[in-house]
Amino acid sequence: MGKIKVASIWCEGCSGCHMSFLDMDERLVELINKGLEINATPITDLKIPDEETDIGIIEGAVATDHHEEEVKMMRERCKIIVALGDCAVFGGIPTMRNYFSKEELLERGYITTESTVDGKIPTSKEIGKHLPKTKAVNEVIKVDLYIPGCPPSADAIYYVLKEVLEGRIPKLEGELLKYE
């Protein structure tokens, strides 16, 4: 089997899922030796996947217009999309903001927090604009595989990537779905 190109992005989340990805340790090297090629990831600071990427891994919920553009680009460029972690799979903790208006959130986050002095809500065009509702990835694009967990275990991530590398469709069950 030839190389399998993998790209990942990080939307609204804590980065715990990418930490679990790194927690595969030597198994990541094993996957690379078997043909896994990482072509874009927040870990390497290469953020735009190749046009012909095999697996796109998305961590985090979709909360801004930038996130929405990024997940749509991943869907266009990747043959298989993997939602990684509870934020990507279900919306997770970031969806708690759906109970408040955007104005309330920005005011609390940038002006009225106890540690803020002379707060100001940022207005740079570089910052993504909050969507009316934070969403799970499958509310924006078609998702092919789901790896739930907060964060998912390195074992579950390894299993999914190994199965895809070997030409099989992964089926998460048993210990791979255990969360502690």
Side-chain angles (χ1 to χ4, degrees):
M1 176 173 278
K3 293 243 182 233
I4 301 285
K5 292 182 181 181
V6 175
S8 70
I9 61 170
W10 172 11
C11 294
E12 186 83 9
C14 71
S15 83
C17 297
H18 274 88
M19 296 303 102
S20 285
F21 185 90
L22 291 175
D23 283 344
M24 285 191 287
D25 300 322
E26 333 37 69
R27 294 179 295 176
L28 185 55
V29 174
E30 173 195 323
L31 292 172
I32 290 168
N33 287 337
K34 288 183 177 182
L36 189 81
E37 177 183 306
I38 301 170
N39 71 29
T41 174
I43 297 166
T44 61
D45 205 32
L46 300 170
K47 298 199 174 28
I48 300 176
D50 293 348
E51 293 286 337
E52 292 295 319
T53 298
D54 298 293
I55 304 171
I57 300 172
I58 301 172
E59 172 187 349
V62 180
T64 69
D65 58 343
H66 290 185
H67 296 152
E68 202 166 54
E69 290 169 18
E70 289 173 0
V71 299
K72 287 177 180 178
M73 176 192 60
M74 289 288 276
R75 180 73 270 177
E76 289 171 9
R77 294 181 176 209
C78 303
K79 295 174 187 161
I80 298 170
I81 292 291
V82 178
L84 179 64
D86 285 351
C87 294
V89 173
F90 307 112
I93 301 265
T95 60
M96 290 174 69
R97 81 138 174 113
N98 292 342
Y99 295 102
F100 303 94
S101 72
K102 178 178 76 169
E103 293 72 28
E104 288 174 292
L105 292 169
L106 293 173
E107 182 174 321
R108 178 67 182 143
Y110 292 102
I111 297 174
T112 64
T113 56
E114 291 70 16
S115 61
T116 301
V117 177
D118 298 326
K120 179 180 157 187
I121 296 172
T123 58
S124 169
K125 292 183 187 339
E126 296 297 316
I127 299 172
K129 303 292 181 223
H130 280 281
L131 298 173
K133 175 186 169 213
T134 297
K135 309 170 194 173
V137 174
N138 70 354
E139 293 179 71
V140 179
I141 62 169
K142 178 183 179 286
V143 172
D144 304 296
L145 299 170
Y146 297 86
I147 306 176
C150 186
S153 70
D155 293 339
I157 299 167
Y158 171 76
Y159 169 77
V160 167
L161 293 174
K162 185 172 180 258
E163 288 295 290
V164 172
L165 262 172
E166 293 175 359
R168 295 188 291 265
I169 297 171
K171 182 178 179 186
L172 287 172
E173 55 191 7
E175 289 293 311
L176 295 175
L177 289 175
K178 183 177 180 183
Y179 312 113
E180 295 182 24

